[in-house]
Amino acid sequence: MTGSSARAFVTVIAREELPAPGYFRPLEKPREISLPFPLGRGSQSRESYTSCERGAWRGAQSRESCRPAGAPRPAPLTLTWSPAMDPPRTGNPYQPAIEALESHPEKKFYNVSKLGGAKYDTLPYSIRVLFESSVRNCDGFLVKETDAMNILDWKTKQSHVEVPFCPARVVLQDFTGIPAMVDFAAMREAVRNAGGDPVKVNPACPTDLTVDHSLQIDFSKCAIQNAPNPGGGEQKPPARLSPLKPPLRKPPPCRGQSGGQSGCRGSCGAGEAGRSSGAFSAQIENTPILCPFHLQPVPEPETVLKNQEMEFGRNRERLQFFKWSSKVFENISIIPPETGMAHQVNLEYLSRVVFDVKDLLHPDSVVGTDSHTTMVNGLGILGWGVGGIEAEAVMLGMPLSLPLPHVVGCELTGTPSPLATSIDIVLSITKHLRQADVAGKFVEFFGSGVSQLSVADRTTIANMCPEYGAILSFFPVDNVTLKHLKHAGFDKAKLEVTEAYLKAVKLFRSDESSSREPEYSQSGVKGFQIAAEKQNDTVPVQYEGNEYKLSHGCIVIAAVISCTNNCNPSVMLAAGLLAKKAVEAGLAVKPYIRTSLSPGSGMVTHYLSSSGVLPYLSKLGFEVVGYGCSTCVGNTTPLPEAIRNAIKQGEIVACGVLSGTKNFEGRLCDCVRANYLASPPLVVAYAIAGTVRIDFDSEPLGTGFNGKSIYLRDIWPTRQELHTVEEECVISSMFRELKEKMEKGNKRWNLLEAPESTLFPWDLKSTYIRCPSFFDKLAKEAVPPAAVENAHVLLFLGDSVTTDHISPAGSIARSSAAAKYLSSRGLTPREFNSYGARRGNDAVMTRGTFANIKLLNKFIGKPAPKTVHFPSGQTLDVFEAAELYQKEGIPVIILAGKKYGLGSSRDWAAKGPFLLGVKAVLAESYEKVHRSQLIGIGIAPLQFRPGENPATLGLTGREQFSIMFPPDLSPRMTLDVKTSTGKVFSVIALFENSMEITLYKNGGSLNFVARRFL
């Protein structure tokens, strides 16, 4: 987009700990990496994004001083709990540290800055939050004095000890929240059956569950067409709207631009379905939303209302279950559908920054069952994503246990270029950090450049840290944060208390913070190996009476979605302003491209509307389809049949472009192989271009009025334009409106009926909610795990198997085992819904395990959700083969390569294999959270020794395997594996501590927790 004269560089210095400079040395000389966007002022300016890798400090006397180069990475997050019942607590030994806040003496707090002294002053801000939590929650049982002292001695103890952390709250979204709540309901049932009191089974930690992942895009674009459900099926007439929804008031019909035909999009009139390239007749005013052609008021887009109606209709059972949960469980609140997505509601409404519990102040902190939970770190709230199994444990009052983390300091200096968005910065940082050694570490930003970033920019940057392996990326609270909180509706008194408290415990950042930073390394790019002679192939296709040509790189899905960037007004407004300029220039989007706009909350729609850009986005096809995760989790409208057939016929590498964080192959649609991440304005730009094979510098986006070529630079909004609109439109009233919406809910939700019984009345006919079988063998005493004898290999997998491969979240294919089950229960393909929506039904989720069409099983030799049942020699669906093995009493294992379990934390990626009968996974390496979840459900994670894998060991996967687990199993113990061919090799039992072994011996954390109620 910019010429070669406007280059920018990243200066990298190797260092890690913050902020005491005396203990560090660079690992290598600073070097410069060119980035593909301008960061400084003008072509000669430079911006330093520095980061630090910890040096080998030799000054410590303790044998637990520094981790030398080459030492193993820190262990993943795990649960911690004592097998004993709750003993009498000894009381908090740090109670004498409680003081009154000087400016508000009625408020009390633990003055950890005095407790820690000089050591505390050298701790990174994020570690100070861990220290405060350990001091406040110290009871001599779950959290001990030694834990607090270990955190205070962070410089010498990091990565060498595990410490407990008690988050202030838990956030769930419905895809991962429903299995957690179903487990709670099933646990109540099991505790009752075992003689315990089910009423005691409640969340102990404040929990918020946002119903935001059930939205599917059944309707999109101005011609409201009832597209088939992602599950497939014949198209039916649009469903009659519920009497709960007020009837739409149609405005007076508009007169068209010519020949009586209207060029309107949306609900203005019954105009043509395609996009019109006509110019706007007048400037669009602010509010209310106006027809962009005739300046007549338009009601709420019918697209939104119809999608909402479908959402409530298909998810009624789930919503009734959620409402039952909100009635009978203590300490949990349910945020109903159409309020917004979990991580955005978390930012805009649920975040406290400072908790005030009975006049005792402490920092806000959170864990959530969504990888985007890390967004809150941009607001100075320590938080990260965990799996559903870990979240359930925290909900029960158990602390998380994590290795005391390294903290990578990243200094920001300089001022961003007018053309650089926060998304440009974050995607470039992500690119370089993906292969840097930050896995399992905290990243903390400091330096004068931090003050140049708004809270929206910070949350966007913090959101991406799971993509490069860090636990979180933390921005301490500063004056910019306080200014944001004022706009967000914090009253003056609350702001004063917040600022005074954070300064008293030294959790408030100023620009005097110190220097140096971690190293970024270049990352590779995956290609699609298209033969040179085929790279320019085209396939003609007829669509809506016109002929188009599809070629490699053609865009068929363009989605501005609620995943990452919608928390940032500047980039969303940039997309709107770009759309406005594009429409005014005469540009359009090809009608076969599936475009959609799924804001994170109504606040986004509010400022897009009040700024006057929403009708222009709609004109290009980016209509608001609803509020929740949609395209990013595979809930997109199916592509037109003609387009699908053309892509398959010509073996075209079709593309999707989205403003999210997940771009796994096949995630958006099974025929869309290449998915690219981009900022919202670039999503709009690529949609107009229609291809990713474009050089924005030298090639036009398209042809405007009078045949003029329009380039991206002609319609790209300036930073000044964005700031002007942002100041006028992103106002505190929007936060007040969201608060009112949150507190009142919506009419459909308020009128929804739900049972009020202590135990949930399971409906045996339900295909959404089923009592799972995890507690079927619950007893007061745990049964030690049996040896794995003569196990067959269920799947022989390669490297980088993701949680999407293991447990898909998107649509249910018509030929899958899950589809066969649903069809047998009388459902049509239109009613299948998605795997994510059916996570409360173990029968569906077990059948959906390893059902991803892109799964590459070496037994099959091509991508397919199939495997071989060796006793019979049949090639079957994975579920059908596993079911046969279970009927025959034969255990199964999985062989895998490197990085098994990559991607979003997903509890069913562990629960599903467990219910398939998988006893162990043998892999070269694991993703940290997934390894923990395997243990949490009762599957043994075993790792090949360094330098060994199935190929070097000569394994075909057709052997049978036997594995013995000794009674004195210890962390990282070496175990022998015997095969039916007589081969014996050793593997490492990848348990990192005695607590994980205890959980495994108890059959996983669910049974372990349930036993405490017996």
Side-chain angles (χ1 to χ4, degrees), residues 757-772:
S757 53
T758 299
L759 300 178
F760 184 70
W762 306 100
D763 180 359
L764 298 180
K765 297 180 180 179
S766 173
T767 57
Y768 277 101
I769 308 294
R770 231 175 73 121
C771 187

Side-chain angles (χ1 to χ4, degrees), residues 834-869:
S834 65
Y835 285 113
R838 295 192 180 273
R839 285 185 180 181
N841 186 318
D842 61 322
V844 172
M845 296 308 296
T846 306
R847 287 165 172 81
T849 303
F850 296 110
N852 191 307
I853 60 171
K854 297 298 182 181
L855 181 75
L856 182 57
N857 180 6
K858 294 183 181 181
F859 294 147
I860 304 301
K862 62 180 181 180
K866 302 284 185 179
T867 195
V868 175
H869 176 254

Side-chain angles (χ1 to χ4, degrees), residues 351-510:
S351 294
R352 283 82 154 174
V353 182
V354 172
F355 257 78
D356 185 344
V357 182
K358 297 180 180 179
D359 287 332
L360 180 67
L361 306 175
H362 64 83
D364 190 2
S365 57
V366 61
V367 291
T369 57
D370 190 291
S371 58
H372 304 296
T373 304
T374 52
M375 292 176 81
V376 297
N377 291 280
L379 202 57
I381 298 171
L382 197 71
W384 63 89
V386 296
I389 297 171
E390 294 94 334
E392 289 177 49
V394 175
M395 290 166 68
L396 285 167
M398 298 163 58
L400 288 173
S401 178
L402 68 158
L404 187 58
H406 292 279
V407 180
V408 177
C410 185
E411 181 183 25
L412 305 185
T413 63
T415 303
S417 159
L419 295 178
T421 70
S422 60
I423 313 305
D424 297 322
I425 296 171
V426 68
L427 291 180
S428 293
I429 289 175
T430 300
K431 173 185 175 183
H432 295 295
L433 286 181
R434 270 181 166 168
Q435 293 185 1
D437 187 20
V438 296
K441 300 175 183 178
F442 288 5
V443 174
E444 190 167 299
F445 291 87
F446 66 105
S448 59
V450 173
S451 296
Q452 302 292 321
L453 297 174
S454 68
V455 167
D457 292 335
R458 298 175 189 187
T459 54
T460 307
I461 293 169
N463 178 68
M464 289 296 284
C465 75
E467 303 307 311
Y468 46 79
I471 297 175
L472 56 88
S473 293
F474 191 70
F475 288 84
V477 175
D478 59 8
N479 288 320
V480 175
T481 315
L482 294 181
K483 183 178 179 181
H484 170 84
L485 295 177
K486 181 179 179 181
H487 289 305
F490 276 46
D491 58 46
K492 183 179 179 181
K494 187 173 182 179
L495 280 173
E496 288 176 352
V497 170
T498 297
E499 183 176 2
Y501 167 71
L502 292 174
K503 287 182 176 178
V505 293
K506 299 181 180 179
L507 285 173
F508 194 87
R509 187 197 75 86
S510 72

Side-chain angles (χ1 to χ4, degrees), residues 622-804:
F622 291 93
E623 286 192 343
V624 176
V625 295
Y627 304 98
C629 292
S630 50
T631 306
C632 54
V633 292
N635 291 348
T636 190
T637 311
L639 296 179
E641 198 67 27
I643 303 299
R644 290 175 61 92
N645 292 340
I647 292 172
K648 292 180 178 180
Q649 173 192 339
E651 297 183 348
I652 295 296
V653 178
C655 303
V657 183
L658 62 154
S659 60
T661 61
K662 300 295 186 297
N663 59 336
F664 303 127
E665 182 177 337
R667 180 163 182 150
L668 306 191
C669 178
D670 58 359
C671 63
V672 180
R673 292 174 57 190
N675 301 314
Y676 294 95
L677 307 181
S679 63
L682 283 179
V683 171
V684 177
Y686 275 113
I688 294 170
T691 179
V692 298
R693 299 173 70 183
I694 180 174
D695 182 341
F696 285 131
D697 276 345
S698 59
E699 298 177 60
L701 293 173
T703 303
F705 298 125
N706 303 320
K708 180 182 177 182
S709 293
I710 308 297
Y711 292 83
L712 181 59
R713 57 180 172 268
D714 299 328
I715 61 173
W716 190 264
T718 67
R719 182 171 289 273
Q720 185 57 47
E721 286 178 293
L722 290 174
H723 282 175
T724 300
V725 175
E726 190 172 351
E727 288 174 7
E728 293 175 355
C729 303
V730 185
I731 53 178
S732 57
S733 63
M734 295 183 296
F735 290 94
R736 289 196 297 270
E737 182 180 309
L738 174 66
K739 184 177 180 180
E740 183 179 347
K741 186 176 181 180
M742 290 281 294
E743 292 171 351
K744 291 184 178 179
N746 60 58
K747 193 171 183 179
R748 286 192 185 91
W749 174 261
N750 293 338
L751 294 178
L752 187 68
E753 295 181 356
E756 298 185 9
S757 53
T758 299
L759 300 178
F760 184 70
W762 306 100
D763 180 359
L764 298 180
K765 297 180 180 179
S766 173
T767 57
Y768 277 101
I769 308 294
R770 231 175 73 121
C771 187
S773 57
F774 303 124
F775 303 102
D776 285 356
K777 298 180 180 179
L778 180 67
K780 289 187 177 181
E781 300 298 327
V783 178
V788 178
E789 296 183 354
N790 299 316
H792 272 294
V793 176
L794 180 64
L795 292 160
F796 191 179
L797 306 172
D799 296 340
S800 301
V801 173
T802 71
T803 51
D804 256 14

Side-chain angles (χ1 to χ4, degrees), residues 898-916:
K898 300 181 180 71
K899 300 179 181 179
Y900 180 78
L902 281 174
S904 302
S905 172
R906 194 165 291 169
D907 58 339
W908 270 107
K911 290 177 177 178
F914 174 80
L915 293 179
L916 288 177

Side-chain angles (χ1 to χ4, degrees), residues 513-532:
S513 305
S514 53
S515 44
R516 297 197 303 202
E517 33 206 289
E519 179 171 53
Y520 303 138
S521 35
Q522 294 282 355
S523 60
V525 178
K526 175 184 174 182
F528 289 90
Q529 291 81 46
I530 302 171

Side-chain angles (χ1 to χ4, degrees), residues 148-198:
M149 291 303 102
N150 283 337
I151 296 173
L152 190 60
D153 289 334
W154 170 78
K155 282 190 179 63
T156 60
K157 297 293 182 68
Q158 56 186 301
S159 83
H160 293 287
V161 297
E162 294 217 354
V163 294
F165 175 55
C166 300
R169 55 192 175 91
V170 176
V171 172
L172 308 174
Q173 44 92 336
D174 57 321
F175 267 19
T176 49
I178 194 165
M181 298 314 301
V182 167
D183 288 346
F184 265 77
M187 192 182 296
R188 278 195 165 196
E189 192 99 14
V191 168
R192 191 276 309 269
N193 293 340
D197 183 0

